Amino acid sequence: MSAKESFKSRLLGLQSNLLSFAYQLTTNHEAAQDLLQDTTLKALDNESKYVDNVNFKGWIFTIMRNIFINNYRQTVRKATVIDQTEDLYHINICQDSGLDTPDGSIAVQEISNAINAFSDDYRIPFSMHVAGYKYQEIADKMQLPLGTVKSRIFFARQKLQGMFKDYKC
């Protein structure tokens, strides 16, 4: 038997063990099958890099583990949302608006009432900020220093978070 045939037969002999390991990594039968296929293909593509005196089983399992880790990292990277707004607005808001439920509309009314209860010093800049005005635009319109506007919006946000800390996003 040639070295090439020996390599393939050893690889085929490990398929059930590799499938079990793939299932442990993915906990999904179809994903495990895909991982096994990717591992087998990569091992066959890199047959020339295998050195005979190296643990064959360990080499193959390392290939599988590395493929799994790389796929996982790629999935996490694709799922990562990058908020490029100036003040990280999208990260700081709840992703579920809750408006499609009666409870959600009540919560919105409660929040509106809480904002309206603020003094004008906090309510106006905060409301303008929520409406989409930039800090500098608010500062210009209210004839206030930029730092004052930012701190008032920050304190209004803190006050709201304290008032509604029991609400879940």
Side-chain angles (χ1 to χ4, degrees), residues 8 16 21 39 47 52 84 138 141 157:
K8 288 179 183 175
S16 63
F21 184 56
T39 302
E47 179 181 353
D52 256 346
Q84 296 182 344
I138 298 168
K141 197 165 221 82
R157 185 181 293 144

Side-chain angles (χ1 to χ4, degrees), residues 28 31 59-60 111 113 158:
N28 179 311
W59 186 70
I60 298 294
I111 293 170
N113 290 342
Q158 293 289 51

Side-chain angles (χ1 to χ4, degrees), residues 23-86:
Y23 188 74
Q24 286 177 343
L25 292 172
T26 62
T27 66
N28 179 311
H29 185 69
E30 289 195 19
Q33 290 285 347
D34 290 343
L35 183 57
L36 174 64
Q37 184 177 7
D38 291 345
T39 302
T40 304
L41 183 63
K42 186 148 191 131
L44 289 171
D45 286 344
N46 292 297
E47 179 181 353
S48 62
K49 294 179 183 174
Y50 175 70
V51 180
D52 256 346
N53 60 354
V54 174
N55 177 3
F56 182 76
K57 187 175 180 180
W59 186 70
I60 298 294
F61 276 77
T62 300
I63 290 173
M64 179 174 278
R65 188 196 62 197
N66 289 343
I67 290 172
F68 173 76
I69 290 170
N70 290 340
N71 290 345
Y72 175 78
R73 287 179 179 158
Q74 185 178 27
T75 302
V76 168
R77 222 180 353 237
K78 285 180 182 175
T80 301
V81 176
I82 298 174
D83 186 359
Q84 296 182 344
T85 57
E86 183 177 318

Side-chain angles (χ1 to χ4, degrees), residues 96-112 164 167-168:
D96 179 20
S97 68
L99 292 176
D100 17 6
T101 65
D103 293 339
S105 60
I106 291 171
V108 169
Q109 187 60 45
E110 286 181 72
I111 293 170
S112 295
F164 296 102
Y167 279 84
K168 301 285 185 209

